[in-house]
Amino acid sequence: MFSYSKLSNKYKAIVIGGSAGSFQPITQILSGLPESFPLPIFLCLHRLKHVRNGFVEALSIKSVKPVLEPHDKESIKRGNVYLAPANYHMSVELGNSISLSTEEMVNNSRPSIDITLESAAFSYKDKLIGILLSGANKDGALGMKRIKERGGLTLVQDPEECTIKTMPQAALESTEIDMSLSTKDIVKFLVELDRLYKVKHEKI
Amino acid sequence: MFSSGKNMYDIEISDLRKLIQLVKDKYDYDFKDYAMSSFKRRIKRIIELYKFDSVDALVEKLTHTPSFFEEFVSEVTVNVTEMFRDPSFWVVVRDEIIPNILSSHNKISIWHAGCSSGEEVFSMQILLEEMGIRDKSHTVATDIDTAIINRAKNASISQKNMELNTSNYERYQGKYVLDKYFSKNKDRYHFNQDILSNVSFRKHDLVKGQVFSKFDIVLCRNVMIYFNQTLQNSVLKTLHESLFKYGFLCIGSKESLIWCDISNKFSVINNEEKIYKKSRD
C-alpha cells in the first residue's frame, strides 16, 4: 500500500533490480521520473551476457534521463541513472564510486542483483531505497534483506501486477518489505520524493 | 554469531583492516588498495567455504598456519575468465593490432598481466597460430597466484566452460572449430601443449610494481577492476614502463584510462574495445 509516511528526504540513492518481465515496468519508471530527480539510481537488470550493445539504448529511448553504463571506478553523480553492464557485476564502492567485477555468477547471474543491492546497502546504510521488480528467480531477495537490516526502505512491485512474481515474492517471504506497489504507485512515490527534495531546497 | 549459508552476517570494514594488516606484516602481500566491495565478498566467500565463524577466526588461522596462505591468495583473487571474452576485441587484435606491429617488427612480444587460469593466453596463441605467426612471438604470462599459474600451465578446461569458449570463438570467426585445439578426456578438455611452446608462465605481483621486460602488447583485462584508483594508477605506471614506445595496452571493455594519472601518455586506438597505444615515454 502506498504510504506517505514512508517519504523522507534523508535518502541518498535508489537501487532497482529486475529480471524477466521487468522491461515494461522499468521503462514506465524511467519515463515517469521528474527531470530534476536528484538521487542517483542504480539499475541491475538481468540481461544476456554476450550482448554488450543495445540494451542501454533501448532503455534510454523512453527514459527522461540518459541511462549510463558506468566504467569501473566512475564517480557517482546525483541524478544519474547507472545500468549494470553485460557480464559484469556492479557494486557501489565506499568513497562514492562504482566498481565492476567479473566474479563468479551469483544466483546464476552476472550482473547479480544481490551484489548491487548488498554493496549499495553497505555504502548508503539507512539512506537507500531498494526496489525489486518482476523476475523468475530469487536474485535480489538477500540484497533487499541487507537494505532492510541497515535501515533502508524496501519496495517491491506488487506480485499481482508482475509478469513473473517469483522475485518480489521471494523478497516478501524473507524480509518485512515496507511497501508492495503497482508500477504506477512506484512512479508516484518517486515523484513525491522529488517534490520533497525541492521543498527542502527552497527552504534553504 | 554467524548463521550458516548465504544469510550470514555482513562483514565490517574494521574486520577487514585487521586481516589486511596481518597479511601485510606476516606475508608481505598488500591488499590495502584492493577495491573494498569485491575484497569483502572474497573474504566472505573464504569464510563460507572453509566454515570459519568470523573474520577473526580467519585471522587466527592465517596467524598460526602459514601453509594456508597460498589457498587464501587463490581464493581472494578472482579467477573467472573465458576464452575470447568480447569476441569483437579479438577481431580488432587480429585484423588491426598484430598487423600494425608486424609492419615494423619481425618479432612480437606479449605480456598477459594477471593471466589467471590462462584462457586469454590460449586465445592469443590460437590467434597467432591461425595467422601463421606464432613462431615469431614470445609471450610471458604472469599471476600473483602460484596455484592458478599451475592450472594455466596444465591447460585443462571443464566441459561447461568449453561451451562458452566455443560460442565466443564462433563469434570471433576463428578459422576452424575450437575443439581442434583440445583433446578430450572424460569431461575435461586438454589444450594442445604444442601451441603453448612460446609461452612462459611466471609468478609476478602487480602490486609490487616490478618491471622485468619490455613488450609490444600488454593485456591486462579485468584485472585492475579489483584495485582502487590509487593502486590502478601505480599499476598503470608499471604497465606503461613495460611497453615499448608505440606498444599497445589492452584493458577490459568497461575499464577506462580517463581518470588515471598517466592517461596523457597513451592515445586511444579503439575506444569500444579499450585498446591504447603508448604515445609518450
Side-chain angles (χ1 to χ4, degrees), chain A residues 50 52 72-73 88 91 93 102-104 142 146, chain B residues 8 36-37 41-42 171 222 225-226 232 254:
Chain A
H50 61 271
R52 264 181 2 199
D72 178 58
K73 303 300 170 322
Y88 283 101
S91 304
E93 193 72 50
T102 59
E103 282 159 274
E104 295 81 357
L142 179 62
R146 290 286 182 250
Chain B
M8 70 173 259
M36 202 45 94
S37 58
R41 281 194 296 272
R42 301 317 287 174
R171 288 195 182 90
N222 300 314
I225 52 178
Y226 298 105
Q232 288 187 355
K254 282 292 165 187

mmCIF file with all atom_site columns, all heavy atoms in Angstrom, chain A residues 50 52 72-73 88 91 93 102-104 142 146, chain B residues 8 36-37 41-42 171 222 225-226 232 254:
data_model
loop_
_atom_site.group_PDB
_atom_site.id
_atom_site.type_symbol
_atom_site.label_atom_id
_atom_site.label_alt_id
_atom_site.label_comp_id
_atom_site.label_asym_id
_atom_site.label_entity_id
_atom_site.label_seq_id
_atom_site.pdbx_PDB_ins_code
_atom_site.Cartn_x
_atom_site.Cartn_y
_atom_site.Cartn_z
_atom_site.occupancy
_atom_site.B_iso_or_equiv
_atom_site.pdbx_formal_charge
_atom_site.auth_seq_id
_atom_site.auth_comp_id
_atom_site.auth_asym_id
_atom_site.auth_atom_id
_atom_site.pdbx_PDB_model_num
ATOM 1   N N   . HIS A 1 50  ? 26.478 -11.970 -23.415 1.00 0.00 ? 50  HIS A N   1
ATOM 2   C CA  . HIS A 1 50  ? 27.388 -11.684 -24.528 1.00 0.00 ? 50  HIS A CA  1
ATOM 3   C C   . HIS A 1 50  ? 26.921 -10.531 -25.412 1.00 0.00 ? 50  HIS A C   1
ATOM 4   O O   . HIS A 1 50  ? 27.536 -10.220 -26.402 1.00 0.00 ? 50  HIS A O   1
ATOM 5   C CB  . HIS A 1 50  ? 27.590 -12.948 -25.374 1.00 0.00 ? 50  HIS A CB  1
ATOM 6   C CG  . HIS A 1 50  ? 26.323 -13.455 -25.985 1.00 0.00 ? 50  HIS A CG  1
ATOM 7   N ND1 . HIS A 1 50  ? 25.509 -14.348 -25.334 1.00 0.00 ? 50  HIS A ND1 1
ATOM 8   C CD2 . HIS A 1 50  ? 25.715 -13.150 -27.143 1.00 0.00 ? 50  HIS A CD2 1
ATOM 9   C CE1 . HIS A 1 50  ? 24.458 -14.593 -26.093 1.00 0.00 ? 50  HIS A CE1 1
ATOM 10  N NE2 . HIS A 1 50  ? 24.543 -13.875 -27.187 1.00 0.00 ? 50  HIS A NE2 1
ATOM 11  N N   . ARG A 1 52  ? 26.694 -6.815  -25.600 1.00 0.00 ? 52  ARG A N   1
ATOM 12  C CA  . ARG A 1 52  ? 27.162 -5.609  -24.933 1.00 0.00 ? 52  ARG A CA  1
ATOM 13  C C   . ARG A 1 52  ? 26.325 -4.390  -25.296 1.00 0.00 ? 52  ARG A C   1
ATOM 14  O O   . ARG A 1 52  ? 26.135 -3.501  -24.500 1.00 0.00 ? 52  ARG A O   1
ATOM 15  C CB  . ARG A 1 52  ? 28.623 -5.343  -25.314 1.00 0.00 ? 52  ARG A CB  1
ATOM 16  C CG  . ARG A 1 52  ? 29.567 -5.883  -24.281 1.00 0.00 ? 52  ARG A CG  1
ATOM 17  C CD  . ARG A 1 52  ? 31.041 -5.648  -24.540 1.00 0.00 ? 52  ARG A CD  1
ATOM 18  N NE  . ARG A 1 52  ? 31.421 -4.892  -25.716 1.00 0.00 ? 52  ARG A NE  1
ATOM 19  C CZ  . ARG A 1 52  ? 32.653 -4.945  -26.223 1.00 0.00 ? 52  ARG A CZ  1
ATOM 20  N NH1 . ARG A 1 52  ? 33.563 -5.701  -25.658 1.00 0.00 ? 52  ARG A NH1 1
ATOM 21  N NH2 . ARG A 1 52  ? 32.975 -4.242  -27.279 1.00 0.00 ? 52  ARG A NH2 1
ATOM 22  N N   . ASP A 1 72  ? 34.433 1.142   -14.724 1.00 0.00 ? 72  ASP A N   1
ATOM 23  C CA  . ASP A 1 72  ? 34.934 0.841   -13.394 1.00 0.00 ? 72  ASP A CA  1
ATOM 24  C C   . ASP A 1 72  ? 35.485 2.103   -12.723 1.00 0.00 ? 72  ASP A C   1
ATOM 25  O O   . ASP A 1 72  ? 36.197 2.876   -13.364 1.00 0.00 ? 72  ASP A O   1
ATOM 26  C CB  . ASP A 1 72  ? 36.038 -0.220  -13.500 1.00 0.00 ? 72  ASP A CB  1
ATOM 27  C CG  . ASP A 1 72  ? 36.646 -0.535  -12.150 1.00 0.00 ? 72  ASP A CG  1
ATOM 28  O OD1 . ASP A 1 72  ? 35.893 -0.941  -11.251 1.00 0.00 ? 72  ASP A OD1 1
ATOM 29  O OD2 . ASP A 1 72  ? 37.868 -0.345  -11.999 1.00 0.00 ? 72  ASP A OD2 1
ATOM 30  N N   . LYS A 1 73  ? 35.152 2.308   -11.454 1.00 0.00 ? 73  LYS A N   1
ATOM 31  C CA  . LYS A 1 73  ? 35.595 3.433   -10.607 1.00 0.00 ? 73  LYS A CA  1
ATOM 32  C C   . LYS A 1 73  ? 35.067 4.794   -11.075 1.00 0.00 ? 73  LYS A C   1
ATOM 33  O O   . LYS A 1 73  ? 35.603 5.838   -10.702 1.00 0.00 ? 73  LYS A O   1
ATOM 34  C CB  . LYS A 1 73  ? 37.133 3.490   -10.472 1.00 0.00 ? 73  LYS A CB  1
ATOM 35  C CG  . LYS A 1 73  ? 37.764 2.202   -9.919  1.00 0.00 ? 73  LYS A CG  1
ATOM 36  C CD  . LYS A 1 73  ? 37.266 1.849   -8.564  1.00 0.00 ? 73  LYS A CD  1
ATOM 37  C CE  . LYS A 1 73  ? 37.660 0.480   -8.040  1.00 0.00 ? 73  LYS A CE  1
ATOM 38  N NZ  . LYS A 1 73  ? 37.722 -0.671  -8.899  1.00 0.00 ? 73  LYS A NZ  1
ATOM 39  N N   . TYR A 1 88  ? 29.229 -8.110  -16.230 1.00 0.00 ? 88  TYR A N   1
ATOM 40  C CA  . TYR A 1 88  ? 29.930 -7.559  -15.068 1.00 0.00 ? 88  TYR A CA  1
ATOM 41  C C   . TYR A 1 88  ? 28.947 -7.442  -13.898 1.00 0.00 ? 88  TYR A C   1
ATOM 42  O O   . TYR A 1 88  ? 27.790 -7.071  -14.104 1.00 0.00 ? 88  TYR A O   1
ATOM 43  C CB  . TYR A 1 88  ? 30.427 -6.134  -15.334 1.00 0.00 ? 88  TYR A CB  1
ATOM 44  C CG  . TYR A 1 88  ? 31.654 -5.993  -16.192 1.00 0.00 ? 88  TYR A CG  1
ATOM 45  C CD1 . TYR A 1 88  ? 31.547 -5.651  -17.538 1.00 0.00 ? 88  TYR A CD1 1
ATOM 46  C CD2 . TYR A 1 88  ? 32.930 -6.145  -15.648 1.00 0.00 ? 88  TYR A CD2 1
ATOM 47  C CE1 . TYR A 1 88  ? 32.687 -5.472  -18.325 1.00 0.00 ? 88  TYR A CE1 1
ATOM 48  C CE2 . TYR A 1 88  ? 34.066 -5.966  -16.431 1.00 0.00 ? 88  TYR A CE2 1
ATOM 49  C CZ  . TYR A 1 88  ? 33.935 -5.641  -17.765 1.00 0.00 ? 88  TYR A CZ  1
ATOM 50  O OH  . TYR A 1 88  ? 35.053 -5.460  -18.540 1.00 0.00 ? 88  TYR A OH  1
ATOM 51  N N   . SER A 1 91  ? 28.951 -2.825  -8.330  1.00 0.00 ? 91  SER A N   1
ATOM 52  C CA  . SER A 1 91  ? 28.865 -2.525  -6.896  1.00 0.00 ? 91  SER A CA  1
ATOM 53  C C   . SER A 1 91  ? 29.014 -1.047  -6.641  1.00 0.00 ? 91  SER A C   1
ATOM 54  O O   . SER A 1 91  ? 29.703 -0.348  -7.389  1.00 0.00 ? 91  SER A O   1
ATOM 55  C CB  . SER A 1 91  ? 30.001 -3.201  -6.120  1.00 0.00 ? 91  SER A CB  1
ATOM 56  O OG  . SER A 1 91  ? 30.015 -4.573  -6.350  1.00 0.00 ? 91  SER A OG  1
ATOM 57  N N   . GLU A 1 93  ? 30.929 1.428   -4.419  1.00 0.00 ? 93  GLU A N   1
ATOM 58  C CA  . GLU A 1 93  ? 32.171 1.360   -3.645  1.00 0.00 ? 93  GLU A CA  1
ATOM 59  C C   . GLU A 1 93  ? 32.135 2.447   -2.578  1.00 0.00 ? 93  GLU A C   1
ATOM 60  O O   . GLU A 1 93  ? 31.573 3.517   -2.813  1.00 0.00 ? 93  GLU A O   1
ATOM 61  C CB  . GLU A 1 93  ? 33.336 1.603   -4.608  1.00 0.00 ? 93  GLU A CB  1
ATOM 62  C CG  . GLU A 1 93  ? 34.706 1.264   -4.055  1.00 0.00 ? 93  GLU A CG  1
ATOM 63  C CD  . GLU A 1 93  ? 34.934 -0.226  -3.928  1.00 0.00 ? 93  GLU A CD  1
ATOM 64  O OE1 . GLU A 1 93  ? 34.689 -0.955  -4.886  1.00 0.00 ? 93  GLU A OE1 1
ATOM 65  O OE2 . GLU A 1 93  ? 35.348 -0.661  -2.850  1.00 0.00 ? 93  GLU A OE2 1
ATOM 66  N N   . THR A 1 102 ? 34.201 -9.207  -12.404 1.00 0.00 ? 102 THR A N   1
ATOM 67  C CA  . THR A 1 102 ? 33.841 -10.394 -13.187 1.00 0.00 ? 102 THR A CA  1
ATOM 68  C C   . THR A 1 102 ? 33.831 -11.634 -12.298 1.00 0.00 ? 102 THR A C   1
ATOM 69  O O   . THR A 1 102 ? 34.082 -12.738 -12.754 1.00 0.00 ? 102 THR A O   1
ATOM 70  C CB  . THR A 1 102 ? 34.851 -10.622 -14.333 1.00 0.00 ? 102 THR A CB  1
ATOM 71  O OG1 . THR A 1 102 ? 36.153 -10.780 -13.763 1.00 0.00 ? 102 THR A OG1 1
ATOM 72  C CG2 . THR A 1 102 ? 34.881 -9.454  -15.291 1.00 0.00 ? 102 THR A CG2 1
ATOM 73  N N   . GLU A 1 103 ? 33.559 -11.440 -11.023 1.00 0.00 ? 103 GLU A N   1
ATOM 74  C CA  . GLU A 1 103 ? 33.481 -12.589 -10.111 1.00 0.00 ? 103 GLU A CA  1
ATOM 75  C C   . GLU A 1 103 ? 32.465 -13.635 -10.601 1.00 0.00 ? 103 GLU A C   1
ATOM 76  O O   . GLU A 1 103 ? 31.659 -13.361 -11.476 1.00 0.00 ? 103 GLU A O   1
ATOM 77  C CB  . GLU A 1 103 ? 33.029 -12.106 -8.726  1.00 0.00 ? 103 GLU A CB  1
ATOM 78  C CG  . GLU A 1 103 ? 34.114 -11.450 -7.903  1.00 0.00 ? 103 GLU A CG  1
ATOM 79  C CD  . GLU A 1 103 ? 33.495 -10.573 -6.826  1.00 0.00 ? 103 GLU A CD  1
ATOM 80  O OE1 . GLU A 1 103 ? 33.202 -9.403  -7.130  1.00 0.00 ? 103 GLU A OE1 1
ATOM 81  O OE2 . GLU A 1 103 ? 33.286 -11.061 -5.726  1.00 0.00 ? 103 GLU A OE2 1
ATOM 82  N N   . GLU A 1 104 ? 32.505 -14.783 -9.953  1.00 0.00 ? 104 GLU A N   1
ATOM 83  C CA  . GLU A 1 104 ? 31.577 -15.866 -10.242 1.00 0.00 ? 104 GLU A CA  1
ATOM 84  C C   . GLU A 1 104 ? 30.138 -15.345 -10.336 1.00 0.00 ? 104 GLU A C   1
ATOM 85  O O   . GLU A 1 104 ? 29.774 -14.391 -9.664  1.00 0.00 ? 104 GLU A O   1
ATOM 86  C CB  . GLU A 1 104 ? 31.610 -16.921 -9.118  1.00 0.00 ? 104 GLU A CB  1
ATOM 87  C CG  . GLU A 1 104 ? 32.927 -17.669 -8.954  1.00 0.00 ? 104 GLU A CG  1
ATOM 88  C CD  . GLU A 1 104 ? 33.984 -16.888 -8.162  1.00 0.00 ? 104 GLU A CD  1
ATOM 89  O OE1 . GLU A 1 104 ? 33.737 -15.739 -7.771  1.00 0.00 ? 104 GLU A OE1 1
ATOM 90  O OE2 . GLU A 1 104 ? 35.080 -17.450 -7.964  1.00 0.00 ? 104 GLU A OE2 1
ATOM 91  N N   . LEU A 1 142 ? 18.134 -11.549 -0.991  1.00 0.00 ? 142 LEU A N   1
ATOM 92  C CA  . LEU A 1 142 ? 19.123 -11.323 0.061   1.00 0.00 ? 142 LEU A CA  1
ATOM 93  C C   . LEU A 1 142 ? 19.531 -9.845  0.117   1.00 0.00 ? 142 LEU A C   1
ATOM 94  O O   . LEU A 1 142 ? 19.680 -9.271  1.203   1.00 0.00 ? 142 LEU A O   1
ATOM 95  C CB  . LEU A 1 142 ? 20.349 -12.213 -0.183  1.00 0.00 ? 142 LEU A CB  1
ATOM 96  C CG  . LEU A 1 142 ? 21.483 -12.081 0.825   1.00 0.00 ? 142 LEU A CG  1
ATOM 97  C CD1 . LEU A 1 142 ? 21.021 -12.473 2.224   1.00 0.00 ? 142 LEU A CD1 1
ATOM 98  C CD2 . LEU A 1 142 ? 22.678 -12.922 0.416   1.00 0.00 ? 142 LEU A CD2 1
ATOM 99  N N   . ARG A 1 146 ? 19.391 -7.138  3.251   1.00 0.00 ? 146 ARG A N   1
ATOM 100 C CA  . ARG A 1 146 ? 20.506 -6.298  3.712   1.00 0.00 ? 146 ARG A CA  1
ATOM 101 C C   . ARG A 1 146 ? 20.089 -4.820  3.810   1.00 0.00 ? 146 ARG A C   1
ATOM 102 O O   . ARG A 1 146 ? 20.481 -4.116  4.741   1.00 0.00 ? 146 ARG A O   1
ATOM 103 C CB  . ARG A 1 146 ? 21.688 -6.394  2.752   1.00 0.00 ? 146 ARG A CB  1
ATOM 104 C CG  . ARG A 1 146 ? 22.379 -7.718  2.767   1.00 0.00 ? 146 ARG A CG  1
ATOM 105 C CD  . ARG A 1 146 ? 23.228 -7.912  4.020   1.00 0.00 ? 146 ARG A CD  1
ATOM 106 N NE  . ARG A 1 146 ? 23.913 -9.185  3.963   1.00 0.00 ? 146 ARG A NE  1
ATOM 107 C CZ  . ARG A 1 146 ? 23.643 -10.221 4.734   1.00 0.00 ? 146 ARG A CZ  1
ATOM 108 N NH1 . ARG A 1 146 ? 22.700 -10.139 5.663   1.00 0.00 ? 146 ARG A NH1 1
ATOM 109 N NH2 . ARG A 1 146 ? 24.302 -11.353 4.605   1.00 0.00 ? 146 ARG A NH2 1
ATOM 110 N N   . MET B 2 8   ? 24.496 -15.305 6.180   1.00 0.00 ? 8   MET B N   1
ATOM 111 C CA  . MET B 2 8   ? 25.368 -14.891 7.277   1.00 0.00 ? 8   MET B CA  1
ATOM 112 C C   . MET B 2 8   ? 25.458 -13.367 7.359   1.00 0.00 ? 8   MET B C   1
ATOM 113 O O   . MET B 2 8   ? 25.164 -12.640 6.451   1.00 0.00 ? 8   MET B O   1
ATOM 114 C CB  . MET B 2 8   ? 26.756 -15.488 7.108   1.00 0.00 ? 8   MET B CB  1
ATOM 115 C CG  . MET B 2 8   ? 27.550 -14.892 5.947   1.00 0.00 ? 8   MET B CG  1
ATOM 116 S SD  . MET B 2 8   ? 29.235 -15.481 5.908   1.00 0.00 ? 8   MET B SD  1
ATOM 117 C CE  . MET B 2 8   ? 30.084 -14.116 6.630   1.00 0.00 ? 8   MET B CE  1
ATOM 118 N N   . MET B 2 36  ? 37.309 -2.280  -2.158  1.00 0.00 ? 36  MET B N   1
ATOM 119 C CA  . MET B 2 36  ? 36.719 -2.831  -0.937  1.00 0.00 ? 36  MET B CA  1
ATOM 120 C C   . MET B 2 36  ? 35.503 -3.717  -1.211  1.00 0.00 ? 36  MET B C   1
ATOM 121 O O   . MET B 2 36  ? 35.332 -4.750  -0.585  1.00 0.00 ? 36  MET B O   1
ATOM 122 C CB  . MET B 2 36  ? 36.360 -1.671  0.004   1.00 0.00 ? 36  MET B CB  1
ATOM 123 C CG  . MET B 2 36  ? 36.230 -2.050  1.446   1.00 0.00 ? 36  MET B CG  1
ATOM 124 S SD  . MET B 2 36  ? 37.529 -3.125  2.102   1.00 0.00 ? 36  MET B SD  1
ATOM 125 C CE  . MET B 2 36  ? 38.662 -1.945  2.805   1.00 0.00 ? 36  MET B CE  1
ATOM 126 N N   . SER B 2 37  ? 34.654 -3.330  -2.164  1.00 0.00 ? 37  SER B N   1
ATOM 127 C CA  . SER B 2 37  ? 33.407 -4.090  -2.368  1.00 0.00 ? 37  SER B CA  1
ATOM 128 C C   . SER B 2 37  ? 33.698 -5.535  -2.764  1.00 0.00 ? 37  SER B C   1
ATOM 129 O O   . SER B 2 37  ? 33.110 -6.466  -2.205  1.00 0.00 ? 37  SER B O   1
ATOM 130 C CB  . SER B 2 37  ? 32.527 -3.401  -3.412  1.00 0.00 ? 37  SER B CB  1
ATOM 131 O OG  . SER B 2 37  ? 33.211 -3.276  -4.638  1.00 0.00 ? 37  SER B OG  1
ATOM 132 N N   . ARG B 2 41  ? 33.634 -9.315  -0.491  1.00 0.00 ? 41  ARG B N   1
ATOM 133 C CA  . ARG B 2 41  ? 32.934 -10.526 -0.949  1.00 0.00 ? 41  ARG B CA  1
ATOM 134 C C   . ARG B 2 41  ? 33.862 -11.732 -0.998  1.00 0.00 ? 41  ARG B C   1
ATOM 135 O O   . ARG B 2 41  ? 33.465 -12.857 -0.713  1.00 0.00 ? 41  ARG B O   1
ATOM 136 C CB  . ARG B 2 41  ? 32.333 -10.297 -2.343  1.00 0.00 ? 41  ARG B CB  1
ATOM 137 C CG  . ARG B 2 41  ? 31.054 -9.511  -2.339  1.00 0.00 ? 41  ARG B CG  1
ATOM 138 C CD  . ARG B 2 41  ? 30.327 -9.614  -3.670  1.00 0.00 ? 41  ARG B CD  1
ATOM 139 N NE  . ARG B 2 41  ? 31.067 -9.032  -4.768  1.00 0.00 ? 41  ARG B NE  1
ATOM 140 C CZ  . ARG B 2 41  ? 31.005 -7.747  -5.123  1.00 0.00 ? 41  ARG B CZ  1
ATOM 141 N NH1 . ARG B 2 41  ? 30.224 -6.925  -4.458  1.00 0.00 ? 41  ARG B NH1 1
ATOM 142 N NH2 . ARG B 2 41  ? 31.707 -7.305  -6.130  1.00 0.00 ? 41  ARG B NH2 1
ATOM 143 N N   . ARG B 2 42  ? 35.139 -11.495 -1.381  1.00 0.00 ? 42  ARG B N   1
ATOM 144 C CA  . ARG B 2 42  ? 36.091 -12.614 -1.441  1.00 0.00 ? 42  ARG B CA  1
ATOM 145 C C   . ARG B 2 42  ? 36.312 -13.181 -0.037  1.00 0.00 ? 42  ARG B C   1
ATOM 146 O O   . ARG B 2 42  ? 36.391 -14.392 0.158   1.00 0.00 ? 42  ARG B O   1
ATOM 147 C CB  . ARG B 2 42  ? 37.446 -12.193 -2.018  1.00 0.00 ? 42  ARG B CB  1
ATOM 148 C CG  . ARG B 2 42  ? 37.444 -11.624 -3.399  1.00 0.00 ? 42  ARG B CG  1
ATOM 149 C CD  . ARG B 2 42  ? 36.583 -12.355 -4.366  1.00 0.00 ? 42  ARG B CD  1
ATOM 150 N NE  . ARG B 2 42  ? 37.090 -13.651 -4.817  1.00 0.00 ? 42  ARG B NE  1
ATOM 151 C CZ  . ARG B 2 42  ? 36.399 -14.486 -5.576  1.00 0.00 ? 42  ARG B CZ  1
ATOM 152 N NH1 . ARG B 2 42  ? 35.172 -14.181 -5.962  1.00 0.00 ? 42  ARG B NH1 1
ATOM 153 N NH2 . ARG B 2 42  ? 36.906 -15.636 -5.955  1.00 0.00 ? 42  ARG B NH2 1
ATOM 154 N N   . ARG B 2 171 ? 31.838 -16.518 -32.543 1.00 0.00 ? 171 ARG B N   1
ATOM 155 C CA  . ARG B 2 171 ? 31.571 -15.096 -32.788 1.00 0.00 ? 171 ARG B CA  1
ATOM 156 C C   . ARG B 2 171 ? 32.825 -14.359 -33.276 1.00 0.00 ? 171 ARG B C   1
ATOM 157 O O   . ARG B 2 171 ? 32.740 -13.413 -34.040 1.00 0.00 ? 171 ARG B O   1
ATOM 158 C CB  . ARG B 2 171 ? 31.068 -14.415 -31.501 1.00 0.00 ? 171 ARG B CB  1
ATOM 159 C CG  . ARG B 2 171 ? 29.672 -14.820 -31.150 1.00 0.00 ? 171 ARG B CG  1
ATOM 160 C CD  . ARG B 2 171 ? 29.069 -13.880 -30.118 1.00 0.00 ? 171 ARG B CD  1
ATOM 161 N NE  . ARG B 2 171 ? 27.743 -14.369 -29.793 1.00 0.00 ? 171 ARG B NE  1
ATOM 162 C CZ  . ARG B 2 171 ? 27.494 -15.236 -28.814 1.00 0.00 ? 171 ARG B CZ  1
ATOM 163 N NH1 . ARG B 2 171 ? 28.453 -15.644 -28.030 1.00 0.00 ? 171 ARG B NH1 1
ATOM 164 N NH2 . ARG B 2 171 ? 26.279 -15.671 -28.618 1.00 0.00 ? 171 ARG B NH2 1
ATOM 165 N N   . ASN B 2 222 ? 40.344 -6.671  -17.164 1.00 0.00 ? 222 ASN B N   1
ATOM 166 C CA  . ASN B 2 222 ? 39.538 -7.002  -15.991 1.00 0.00 ? 222 ASN B CA  1
ATOM 167 C C   . ASN B 2 222 ? 40.375 -7.515  -14.825 1.00 0.00 ? 222 ASN B C   1
ATOM 168 O O   . ASN B 2 222 ? 39.995 -8.467  -14.137 1.00 0.00 ? 222 ASN B O   1
ATOM 169 C CB  . ASN B 2 222 ? 38.433 -8.011  -16.362 1.00 0.00 ? 222 ASN B CB  1
ATOM 170 C CG  . ASN B 2 222 ? 37.509 -7.447  -17.425 1.00 0.00 ? 222 ASN B CG  1
ATOM 171 O OD1 . ASN B 2 222 ? 37.071 -6.293  -17.328 1.00 0.00 ? 222 ASN B OD1 1
ATOM 172 N ND2 . ASN B 2 222 ? 37.225 -8.217  -18.448 1.00 0.00 ? 222 ASN B ND2 1
ATOM 173 N N   . ILE B 2 225 ? 40.217 -3.850  -12.164 1.00 0.00 ? 225 ILE B N   1
ATOM 174 C CA  . ILE B 2 225 ? 38.909 -3.551  -11.549 1.00 0.00 ? 225 ILE B CA  1
ATOM 175 C C   . ILE B 2 225 ? 38.870 -3.995  -10.086 1.00 0.00 ? 225 ILE B C   1
ATOM 176 O O   . ILE B 2 225 ? 38.037 -3.527  -9.331  1.00 0.00 ? 225 ILE B O   1
ATOM 177 C CB  . ILE B 2 225 ? 37.712 -4.194  -12.318 1.00 0.00 ? 225 ILE B CB  1
ATOM 178 C CG1 . ILE B 2 225 ? 37.915 -5.687  -12.548 1.00 0.00 ? 225 ILE B CG1 1
ATOM 179 C CG2 . ILE B 2 225 ? 37.477 -3.496  -13.639 1.00 0.00 ? 225 ILE B CG2 1
ATOM 180 C CD1 . ILE B 2 225 ? 36.737 -6.361  -13.253 1.00 0.00 ? 225 ILE B CD1 1
ATOM 181 N N   . TYR B 2 226 ? 39.793 -4.864  -9.696  1.00 0.00 ? 226 TYR B N   1
ATOM 182 C CA  . TYR B 2 226 ? 39.815 -5.310  -8.294  1.00 0.00 ? 226 TYR B CA  1
ATOM 183 C C   . TYR B 2 226 ? 40.651 -4.388  -7.404  1.00 0.00 ? 226 TYR B C   1
ATOM 184 O O   . TYR B 2 226 ? 40.830 -4.659  -6.221  1.00 0.00 ? 226 TYR B O   1
ATOM 185 C CB  . TYR B 2 226 ? 40.283 -6.769  -8.207  1.00 0.00 ? 226 TYR B CB  1
ATOM 186 C CG  . TYR B 2 226 ? 39.309 -7.636  -8.953  1.00 0.00 ? 226 TYR B CG  1
ATOM 187 C CD1 . TYR B 2 226 ? 39.611 -8.170  -10.200 1.00 0.00 ? 226 TYR B CD1 1
ATOM 188 C CD2 . TYR B 2 226 ? 38.018 -7.810  -8.454  1.00 0.00 ? 226 TYR B CD2 1
ATOM 189 C CE1 . TYR B 2 226 ? 38.668 -8.885  -10.917 1.00 0.00 ? 226 TYR B CE1 1
ATOM 190 C CE2 . TYR B 2 226 ? 37.068 -8.513  -9.166  1.00 0.00 ? 226 TYR B CE2 1
ATOM 191 C CZ  . TYR B 2 226 ? 37.400 -9.049  -10.394 1.00 0.00 ? 226 TYR B CZ  1
ATOM 192 O OH  . TYR B 2 226 ? 36.449 -9.739  -11.097 1.00 0.00 ? 226 TYR B OH  1
ATOM 193 N N   . GLN B 2 232 ? 45.390 1.395   -9.037  1.00 0.00 ? 232 GLN B N   1
ATOM 194 C CA  . GLN B 2 232 ? 45.280 1.383   -10.506 1.00 0.00 ? 232 GLN B CA  1
ATOM 195 C C   . GLN B 2 232 ? 46.331 2.302   -11.112 1.00 0.00 ? 232 GLN B C   1
ATOM 196 O O   . GLN B 2 232 ? 46.994 1.948   -12.087 1.00 0.00 ? 232 GLN B O   1
ATOM 197 C CB  . GLN B 2 232 ? 43.884 1.829   -10.950 1.00 0.00 ? 232 GLN B CB  1
ATOM 198 C CG  . GLN B 2 232 ? 42.811 0.785   -10.667 1.00 0.00 ? 232 GLN B CG  1
ATOM 199 C CD  . GLN B 2 232 ? 41.446 1.145   -11.257 1.00 0.00 ? 232 GLN B CD  1
ATOM 200 O OE1 . GLN B 2 232 ? 41.261 2.222   -11.802 1.00 0.00 ? 232 GLN B OE1 1
ATOM 201 N NE2 . GLN B 2 232 ? 40.503 0.236   -11.143 1.00 0.00 ? 232 GLN B NE2 1
ATOM 202 N N   . LYS B 2 254 ? 34.979 -2.368  -19.884 1.00 0.00 ? 254 LYS B N   1
ATOM 203 C CA  . LYS B 2 254 ? 34.396 -1.347  -19.021 1.00 0.00 ? 254 LYS B CA  1
ATOM 204 C C   . LYS B 2 254 ? 35.424 -0.742  -18.069 1.00 0.00 ? 254 LYS B C   1
ATOM 205 O O   . LYS B 2 254 ? 35.097 -0.258  -16.991 1.00 0.00 ? 254 LYS B O   1
ATOM 206 C CB  . LYS B 2 254 ? 33.192 -1.927  -18.256 1.00 0.00 ? 254 LYS B CB  1
ATOM 207 C CG  . LYS B 2 254 ? 31.947 -2.027  -19.117 1.00 0.00 ? 254 LYS B CG  1
ATOM 208 C CD  . LYS B 2 254 ? 31.417 -0.644  -19.466 1.00 0.00 ? 254 LYS B CD  1
ATOM 209 C CE  . LYS B 2 254 ? 30.406 -0.693  -20.597 1.00 0.00 ? 254 LYS B CE  1
ATOM 210 N NZ  . LYS B 2 254 ? 30.038 0.680   -21.012 1.00 0.00 ? 254 LYS B NZ  1
#
